[in-house]
Amino acid sequence: MTTETTDTSDGFRKTGTPDISESPLHPRRKSRRIMVGPVPVGGGAPISVQSMTNTPTHDINATLRQIGELAQAGCDIVRVAVPRQEDSDALPELVRRSPLPIIADIHFQSKYVFEAIDAGCAAVRVNPGNIRKFDEVGPRICQAATDAGISLRIGVNAGSLDKQIYEKYGGATPEALVASALKEAHMFEDVGFHDFKISVKHHDPVTTVQTYRLLASKGDWPLHLGVTEAGPAWQGTIKSCLAFGALLAEGIGDTIRVSLSAPPVEEVKVGCKILEYLGLRKRHFDIISCPSCGRSQVDVIQLAEAVTEGLKGITAPIRVAVMGCIVNGPGEAREADLGVASGNGKGQIFIKGTVIKTVPEDQIVETLLEEAQRIAADMESADGDANAARSAQTGPIVVPIQQPAH
């Protein structure tokens, strides 16, 4: 689905997130706060989700459509690549029409940094390691950012590590990555600029965790988490979940980007769910389903996929559990907003643990979707809209499926 993005009189999409966000697992690491447009990063602010467009930035309409899709999926900040002059020339209109704050991603040519600042970008991603004559141009970048009141992102990827540091540490080790990041941080701080966040990304999740742990112990900079070059969707999702889960569970991390060889909207979906499941973002629609096994009397896989597809647009905090037998089915159905226990060619539909109807097996999905839509509408109506409904702490939708007694 595409979304037309036009000028808005009230500025950026409002997220409604609180000023401070704590983790249920571990106190958040103390970090300074910077701003990316209207989005706070660090200082206990809610952890933001980022992505990057993969359209040619100079194709303004295509880029805005993709930004609109990212915003709908829950993205907070978007980055656009600026490798050419025509991309830099497109920035003023993109900034004016985007529902999300834009970070310009710039390498090699410092002139694009100044043009991005002049265009009104909310922040600029600068890689001091590949900006020509950075020792000379760095202080001017800091002054321009200060004058514009914007922040910067600095940091290093394993693939772009300074050659001397790489040789000194014998590779892209956690110590090497942190040494490089500290060198860059000092470049900015030595000229009095402090409004920046740091990323130190590696393709290996274990190295990523070790690196961010080390960097977090060295200062109070806001940290941008990422596993770089993580791979296709299934592989990259696993890598990101491992690294982000370990770090966020320790209170480390202020903003995240899941890097996938997949459409950018998939990155946002994964990122939002990581935060939801860690208790760091209010929960939306969720589905619980059991693995298929020999006890099942229905096709659990097909049923779970059909329910998930039918409810993919739901934002209310309801949960569906798809269970395939009597072992877990009834209990899950009791605890859910909505559930079904199936067996003998029939399905018992539950709401809040009470059976409301029994339907033939071929009507389970249709009935479940109808009831789920009604419950979601009630939640949203009670709280004013779907965003407010995220504060409701009712359980998810459950589709337990039970065998008849033998």
Side-chain angles (χ1 to χ4, degrees), residues 17-22 28 33 43-46:
T17 51
D19 186 56
I20 298 293
S21 172
E22 272 301 337
R28 294 276 301 278
R33 177 171 293 194

Side-chain angles (χ1 to χ4, degrees), residues 30 33 62 104 132 260 281 299-300 366 373 390 398:
K30 303 297 182 184
R33 177 171 293 194
R132 300 185 184 100
L260 302 176
R281 181 172 283 215
D299 186 338
V300 177
E366 176 186 353
Q373 294 286 353
R390 71 190 185 286
V398 181

Side-chain angles (χ1 to χ4, degrees), residues 45 79 102 132 150 213 321-322 345:
R79 186 155 43 108
I102 287 180
R132 300 185 184 100
I150 71 165
R213 281 176 176 166
V322 179

Side-chain angles (χ1 to χ4, degrees), residues 206-225:
V206 173
T207 302
T208 297
V209 171
Q210 294 170 334
T211 303
Y212 276 102
R213 281 176 176 166
L214 181 59
L215 181 60
S217 72
K218 301 294 186 181
D220 67 346
W221 314 281
L223 299 182
H224 170 102
L225 301 188

